[in-house]
C-alpha cells in the first residue's frame, strides 16, 4: 500500500478528488494557487503538507473549504450552516449584508413562512 492510500493522507486524497472534480491538471491547479507543480504532486502523494497560506490558496483555487481538504466535512460543495453563507459575504456591500441579516432574522422569527407579517 502506498503512503497516499493510507488514512494518514486524507488531505492528499481530498486535494486530488477536488482537482479532478474541477477538471484541472496538477499544473493548472499549481498556476491558480501560485505554487510550483511539484508541490501539488507532493501534497497529493502525502510527501509534504501545505502551509496555512498554501492550504487557503488551494481551497480558494478549487472553490472548496479548507475543512473539506482536511477531512473535517465530507462534501466538497456543501458547507454546513453559517459557513455556507459566510463564504459569499466578502462579495457583498455593507447594505447588502444588512439586507441578508434582515432576511435571516425574519426567517428565524417565522415571518417569511406563508406570508406572515
Amino acid at each position: 500500500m502506498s503512503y497516499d492510500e493510507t488514512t494518514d493522507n486524507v488531505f492528499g486524497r481530498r486535494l486530488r478528488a477536488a482537482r479532478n472534480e474541477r477538471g484541472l491538471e496538477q499544473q493548472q491547479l499549481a498556476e491558480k494557487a501560485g505554487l510550483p507543480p511539484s508541490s501539488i504532486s507532493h501534497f497529493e502523494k502525502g510527501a509534504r503538507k501545505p502551509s496555512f497560506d498554501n492550504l487557503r490558496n488551494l481551497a480558494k483555487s478549487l472553490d472548496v473549504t479548507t475543512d473539506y481538504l482536511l477531512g473535517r466535512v465530507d462534501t466538497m460543495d456543501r458547507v454546513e450552516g453559517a459557513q455556507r453563507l459566510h463564504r459569499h459575504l466578502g462579495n457583498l456591500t455593507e447594505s447588502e449584508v444588512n439586507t441578508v441579516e434582515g432576511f435571516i432574522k425574519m426567517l428565524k422569527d417565522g415571518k417569511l413562512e406563508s406570508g406572515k407579517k
Side-chain angles (χ1 to χ4, degrees), residues 2 4-5 9-24 26 29 40-41 43-46 62 68-69 76:
S2 69
D4 65 325
E5 293 172 351
N9 193 23
V10 170
F11 174 77
R13 288 193 315 274
R14 294 285 180 93
L15 180 63
R16 182 180 300 119
R19 180 178 59 77
N20 288 334
E21 179 69 23
R22 302 299 187 236
L24 297 172
Q26 287 182 347
L29 176 57
I40 305 302
S41 176
F43 296 151
E44 289 184 2
K45 290 178 182 175
L62 291 165
Y68 171 76
L69 291 176
M76 192 178 303

Side-chain angles (χ1 to χ4, degrees), residues 33-74:
L35 296 168
S38 61
S39 291
I40 305 302
S41 176
H42 291 310
F43 296 151
E44 289 184 2
K45 290 178 182 175
R48 288 183 34 210
K49 300 292 182 199
S51 68
F52 175 78
D53 287 338
N54 288 341
L55 173 64
R56 187 175 49 198
N57 289 339
L58 288 165
K60 183 176 180 182
S61 297
L62 291 165
D63 193 27
V64 299
T65 65
T66 55
D67 280 347
Y68 171 76
L69 291 176
L70 295 172
R72 295 186 65 205
V73 298
D74 292 329

Side-chain angles (χ1 to χ4, degrees), residues 2-4 8 13 21 27 33 37 40-41 43 47 53 71 94-95 97 108 112-113 115:
S2 69
Y3 185 77
D4 65 325
D8 295 336
R13 288 193 315 274
E21 179 69 23
Q27 173 75 32
I40 305 302
S41 176
F43 296 151
D53 287 338
E94 185 66 29
S95 175
V97 170
K108 182 184 75 104
L112 287 182
E113 294 177 18

